[in-house]
Amino acid sequence: MQPYAQNWTHVTEFVMVGFAGVHEARLLFFTVFLTMYLFTLVENLAIILVVALNHRLHRPMYFFLTHLSCLEIWYTSVTVPKMLAGFIGVDGGKNISYTGCLSQLFIFTFLGATECFLLAAMAYDRYVAICMPLRYGALVSWGTCIRLAAACWLVGLLTPVLPIYLMSQLTFCGPNVIDHFFCDVSPLLALSCSDVTLKETTDFLVSLMVLLVSSTVISVSYGNIVWTLLHIRSAAERRKAFSTCAAHLTVVSLFYGTLFFMYVRTKVASSINFNKVVSVFYSIVTPMLNPLIYSLRNKEVKGALGRAFSLRSWKGQ
């Protein structure tokens, strides 16, 4: 306990350093991140529109894919525009209010947790399609899909409630400089004057629970899928079945690999700059790559995108 608590000046605003070491190349970084952000928006909007307009894609697998695309748009929009404003020196671009900082952290955590559960729901869909094809219509009906998607969003929304409440109970008395490009947990805890032990422990347990529950569903689903594929005699049928899972497996590997590194730990990593690089990967790079992965690895999506954006389609032929 601090002896002069009555003299503390409570922080009402934070300053985000972002990538302070790249001042001379800030315009280059601004251009690169803006391009990635715009690609993310265009790619995910394209998938949403193509699935909505193509009746052949009105199936559970693509229903979840549109939810994932919507989520990716919001996920990047929570952090990237503010980061871009900081690069070009927009007035107040690096500043964020205390309330705004906690709100950004809440939304970012909510969307990250929701993505974990959506990826698990997609893995379950693939498991039923490959391992129990005759019961697919009954087990993965539209009602089931809607309930699963709603559960993913609801549980994701509830995930940050306790961590953000505990964060709001901490005291920030200066300095107010966040060594990051958004309000992430670790750099905020480094600025707190309070004992953060309970907060760190809670964050660790909540993150571990979300990642373990969702990754267990994914692991069990794909374990059963692999077992089923091993018992398929036809090599062509095995390849066809695996091709429907390849895109999802790639996305899961990218997303979970970085999340396990960043959040399932109780202490701030020694290299802040390395943390920023990893954060860029899961908050900006992965949402940009996901639509490409799904469109390139999935013949139906690739075909639908090709038809939708071909010159012949625009001419109405």
Side-chain angles (χ1 to χ4, degrees):
M1 182 174 178
Q2 301 291 341
Y4 302 107
Q6 67 272 19
N7 294 326
W8 283 351
T9 301
H10 292 273
V11 170
T12 59
E13 185 179 69
F14 293 103
V15 178
M16 292 187 287
V17 172
F19 298 89
V22 298
H23 181 73
E24 305 227 336
R26 66 187 185 282
L27 291 180
L28 173 62
F29 274 74
F30 171 82
T31 304
V32 170
F33 285 124
L34 176 61
T35 303
M36 293 170 69
Y37 178 56
L38 293 177
F39 264 118
T40 301
L41 296 183
V42 171
E43 291 165 353
N44 283 290
L45 283 172
I47 285 183
I48 293 168
L49 289 174
V50 164
V51 172
L53 297 175
N54 193 317
H55 293 290
R56 297 177 186 175
L57 301 182
H58 289 183
R59 303 208 302 272
M61 176 180 176
Y62 302 107
F63 170 79
F64 289 119
L65 182 57
T66 56
H67 277 262
L68 185 64
S69 291
C70 286
L71 187 147
E72 300 283 29
I73 291 172
W74 298 337
Y75 192 58
T76 53
S77 297
V78 172
T79 58
V80 177
K82 187 70 176 175
M83 179 184 68
L84 293 175
F87 273 125
I88 58 175
V90 172
D91 187 28
K94 290 182 177 290
N95 298 348
I96 187 168
S97 68
Y98 172 81
T99 302
C101 189
L102 292 190
S103 298
Q104 186 187 58
L105 180 57
F106 181 95
I107 297 171
F108 189 79
T109 307
F110 151 50
L111 294 174
T114 301
E115 180 159 355
C116 289
F117 294 119
L118 274 175
L119 291 173
M122 294 172 79
Y124 170 74
D125 170 70
R126 292 299 82 206
Y127 156 68
V128 177
I130 293 173
C131 300
M132 295 181 282
L134 298 180
R135 300 180 60 195
Y136 183 77
L139 293 176
V140 191
S141 63
W142 280 112
T144 301
C145 290
I146 292 170
R147 286 191 291 272
L148 275 174
C152 291
W153 287 99
L154 179 59
V155 177
L157 182 63
L158 295 176
T159 297
V161 171
L162 179 58
I164 297 300
Y165 169 76
L166 292 176
M167 182 71 82
S168 69
Q169 301 306 298
L170 299 179
T171 302
F172 295 90
C173 51
N176 67 335
V177 178
I178 299 175
D179 193 6
H180 215 302
F181 61 89
F182 70 97
C183 290
D184 203 3
V185 175
S186 296
L188 274 175
L189 292 182
L191 298 180
S192 177
C193 313
S194 308
D195 181 3
V196 298
T197 305
L198 176 61
K199 168 63 177 162
E200 279 194 323
T201 303
T202 302
D203 285 346
F204 173 76
L205 293 176
V206 170
S207 300
L208 189 64
M209 181 183 69
V210 169
L211 292 173
L212 282 184
V213 169
S214 56
S215 62
T216 297
V217 172
I218 293 170
S219 299
V220 171
S221 296
Y222 276 103
N224 281 285
I225 287 171
V226 170
W227 181 255
T228 300
L229 292 180
L230 290 175
H231 289 79
I232 296 178
R233 294 183 178 180
S234 169
E237 287 184 12
R238 278 201 303 271
R239 283 195 299 271
K240 182 180 178 181
F242 181 75
S243 68
T244 66
C245 306
H248 182 254
L249 267 176
T250 305
V251 169
V252 166
S253 301
L254 289 173
F255 187 70
Y256 276 83
T258 52
L259 283 188
F260 267 108
F261 172 81
M262 284 298 295
Y263 292 112
V264 185
R265 53 200 170 90
T266 57
K267 298 296 180 183
V268 179
S270 56
S271 175
I272 297 297
N273 288 330
F274 188 61
N275 282 358
K276 290 180 188 178
V277 172
V278 177
S279 297
V280 165
F281 197 85
Y282 72 76
S283 64
I284 302 174
V285 177
T286 301
M288 182 189 69
L289 292 178
N290 286 351
L292 288 175
I293 294 168
Y294 275 108
S295 60
L296 292 176
R297 296 291 305 181
N298 188 296
K299 291 182 179 179
E300 288 180 306
V301 174
K302 187 163 57 175
L305 284 169
R307 289 190 296 271
F309 295 101
S310 67
L311 185 59
R312 180 176 295 181
S313 296
W314 286 112
K315 288 181 176 179
Q317 296 179 359

